Amino acid sequence: IFVTLSRNMRLSRCWSCVAAANLWRLCLGSFEDAYDLLMAPVNPIVEAGEACNWVNPADLPVLARTSSEFEQSIEMKVDSCGHRSLHMSGYIQCNSVDEHLYHEMMVHPVMVAFSNANQRPPSTVFMGGSGDGAGPREVLRWPSVANVTVVDIDVEVTRFVQKWMPRMPNGSLEDSRLNLVTGDAVAYLKEMPADVKFDVIILDFPDTFESNVLEQLYEPEFYKLCRSRMHEGSILVTQSGPCSQASRQGRRMQCAFLERITGNLAEVFEDVDAIQHPMATWKAEPEEPSDWSSFALARRSREESLSQPLQNEVASLPSPLASSPDAASEWIEQQGLSLKYYDAAVHRASRTLPKHLAEQLRKRAATGRERRTGVAGAMKTEL
C-alpha cells in the first residue's frame, strides 16, 4: 500500500519498526493472516448460503419489479431463505445477507481516518449515490455528524428499496440530519456556494461497465471538482470495483478498476490509499469464490495550487489510513458504534494487500503523480 511517512512524524511502536515500503508486510502481517481475519465473519455467511439456493443471480425468482428514467429494469429477487437482493439492469447491487460488509467498509474506515488525522470526528459528509439509504445509515451512526448531504439521481430506486428492502435504509432517510437530494451529483457540487466544504466525501456510484455515462465519475476532472469541496484534512473515498480470483495466497487477485482509479486520484490528490475486503454473494456460480470489494481513498493534506508540481518524494506524504493500532478502537468507542463487521483489526487487515497488487497500485500512483506534474509543468511554461 502507499504508506508514506513524514520525517517529523511521531511514529507509534508499530510504525517505527520498519521502513515505509515494508509496513504492509511486517506491521500488518502477511496477506494470509489478513485474509484469515477478514474472511472469519464471512465464512459462516457463505456456508449458510449453501442451503439458500444461491444459484446464478439471474435465475433467482423476482419478488417485485419496476423501472425508471435511468434504469430499464429494477428488480427485487429472493432466495429460498428469504434473503433479498437488489438488481438493476441485470447487475446485482446488494444482498440483504451481506450488504453490511460493503457499507460498513465504505463508511467507517474513512470516518476513522478523518478522525485520527484531524483529532476530531467528522461533522459534515457528502455522499454521491447511496440513495438506497444503507450508506447514510452507517454515516448517521456517528453522533458527531451534524449534516449528511446525499445526492442520488434516481428517486425510483430510493422508493423501491424503502418498500421492498426497508432494513437497508433502516430509518436513515427520515433522520433530521439528512439532506436527500434527487439530482446529478456533478451539477450539485458545481453549483454549491464556493465556501461550502465537507469533512468527508463518499462516492458510491455504480461501476462503469454498467453504463458509459458513469465514466466521468471516476476521472481526474471529477476528482478535481471534489477536491474543491474539501478543506485541508478532508478525506474522500470511492468504491473502486470488485477484485476477482481472491485466495488465501492472493497471487492471482485482480483489481483492474482499483488500479485505474488509484492513478486518477494520484493525479489530483497528494495522498492516496486503498482497502479491500471479502463479500459472500458477489459470484455468478455457487461453486465459485465470491469477488472481493475495494475502496480507494484520497486526502487533501495541504493547500497547494494545481498549477504547481507535486514533490516527487513519496516518503514525505502520509497515508490517509495510517494510524496507531488503537486509533480505530478509540474512535469506535468514543462514538458508541455497534457494528457487525468493521473493527480495529479489520481496519488494519483491509490495508494488507497481496504483494503484486500493492506494487501495481504503487506504480499507478506514481504514474498519476507524473501526469499531474507534467500538466502543472506545461501550465507553468504557458504562463
Side-chain angles (χ1 to χ4, degrees):
I1 311 177
F2 317 120
V3 183
T4 53
L5 303 172
S6 169
R7 295 173 182 172
N8 297 322
M9 186 182 297
R10 293 184 177 179
L11 304 178
S12 70
R13 56 183 178 276
C14 177
W15 303 123
S16 62
C17 66
V18 288
N22 293 320
L23 281 178
W24 72 274
R25 189 169 191 145
L26 298 180
C27 283
L28 299 176
S30 68
F31 178 72
E32 288 86 350
D33 293 339
Y35 180 93
D36 291 342
L37 189 150
L38 294 169
M39 282 295 299
V42 181
N43 286 327
I45 301 176
V46 175
E47 293 168 2
E50 295 177 359
C52 298
N53 191 31
W54 281 3
V55 297
N56 188 312
D59 297 330
L60 287 172
V62 176
L63 180 65
R65 180 184 288 115
T66 188
S67 62
S68 73
E69 177 185 352
F70 306 98
E71 297 288 346
Q72 293 182 349
S73 173
I74 304 172
E75 296 178 320
M76 190 66 66
K77 297 187 176 185
V78 61
D79 65 23
S80 60
C81 294
H83 303 129
R84 298 185 178 188
S85 55
L86 175 66
H87 301 249
M88 295 196 298
S89 298
Y91 295 102
I92 185 170
Q93 304 299 309
C94 59
N95 189 307
S96 61
V97 75
D98 68 346
E99 58 85 10
H100 67 281
L101 302 174
Y102 175 90
H103 291 108
E104 286 188 14
M105 293 302 291
M106 177 178 74
V107 170
H108 300 295
V110 70
M111 300 287 275
V112 165
F114 175 89
S115 303
N116 191 60
N118 295 276
Q119 288 304 296
R120 68 170 180 85
S123 62
T124 58
V125 178
F126 175 87
M127 305 190 77
S130 280
D132 57 28
R137 176 195 72 204
E138 295 303 318
V139 170
L140 290 166
R141 292 185 190 277
W142 286 65
S144 65
V145 171
N147 177 267
V148 185
T149 298
V150 177
V151 182
D152 194 293
I153 202 167
D154 200 338
V155 69
E156 183 58 31
V157 173
T158 302
R159 293 170 179 164
F160 189 71
V161 172
Q162 281 186 299
K163 181 176 181 179
W164 294 103
M165 219 172 180
R167 290 186 181 179
M168 281 271 287
N170 198 33
S172 64
L173 300 182
E174 289 76 46
D175 194 296
S176 61
R177 295 174 292 168
L178 180 76
N179 176 28
L180 178 60
V181 178
T182 299
D184 184 331
V186 177
Y188 187 88
L189 288 172
K190 285 181 177 178
E191 295 167 5
M192 290 179 61
D195 60 343
V196 175
K197 311 289 183 182
F198 297 96
D199 292 336
V200 171
I201 291 180
I202 300 173
L203 305 176
D204 187 23
F205 301 121
D207 294 322
T208 56
F209 62 74
E210 298 184 31
S211 171
N212 292 333
V213 178
L214 297 167
E215 287 281 347
Q216 65 170 324
L217 300 175
Y218 297 95
E219 294 297 322
E221 284 305 312
F222 177 62
Y223 294 142
K224 290 176 184 177
L225 174 60
C226 291
R227 180 189 168 98
S228 72
R229 298 305 179 190
M230 299 166 66
H231 56 73
E232 184 174 346
S234 296
I235 303 182
L236 173 152
V237 62
T238 177
Q239 82 85 17
S240 49
C243 294
S244 62
Q245 302 186 59
S247 68
R248 190 170 185 272
Q249 291 71 37
R251 297 189 186 99
R252 299 176 61 190
M253 183 175 283
Q254 300 294 321
C255 307
F257 199 36
L258 171 61
E259 291 181 23
R260 172 186 161 191
I261 291 174
T262 296
N264 289 347
L265 285 172
E267 190 172 334
V268 177
F269 291 94
E270 298 83 3
D271 313 334
V272 294
D273 211 329
I275 60 175
Q276 59 177 191
H277 67 91
M279 296 294 294
T281 62
W282 286 16
K283 51 185 176 179
E285 300 295 337
E287 64 273 10
E288 295 180 359
S290 176
D291 284 350
W292 283 34
S293 172
S294 71
F295 296 96
L297 299 96
R299 177 170 61 190
R300 181 168 184 167
S301 61
R302 61 178 179 274
E303 289 299 329
E304 183 178 66
S305 170
L306 286 177
S307 65
Q308 298 298 320
L310 273 176
Q311 294 180 359
N312 292 322
E313 300 174 357
V314 183
S316 67
L317 304 176
S319 161
L321 283 174
S323 61
S324 67
D326 298 327
S329 293
E330 292 170 359
W331 290 109
I332 290 171
E333 181 179 358
Q334 187 202 85
Q335 294 293 302
L337 304 179
S338 178
L339 306 174
K340 295 181 180 179
Y341 183 68
Y342 174 77
D343 59 19
V346 166
H347 182 102
R348 295 166 59 198
S350 68
R351 302 182 62 229
T352 307
L353 308 183
K355 187 174 182 180
H356 76 279
L357 177 59
E359 180 63 17
Q360 281 298 109
L361 297 183
R362 187 193 66 78
K363 290 179 179 178
R364 289 295 187 115
T367 300
R369 285 190 296 272
E370 289 172 1
R371 288 198 302 265
R372 181 178 173 185
T373 302
V375 171
M379 292 175 64
K380 188 174 182 179
T381 300
E382 292 175 3
L383 294 174

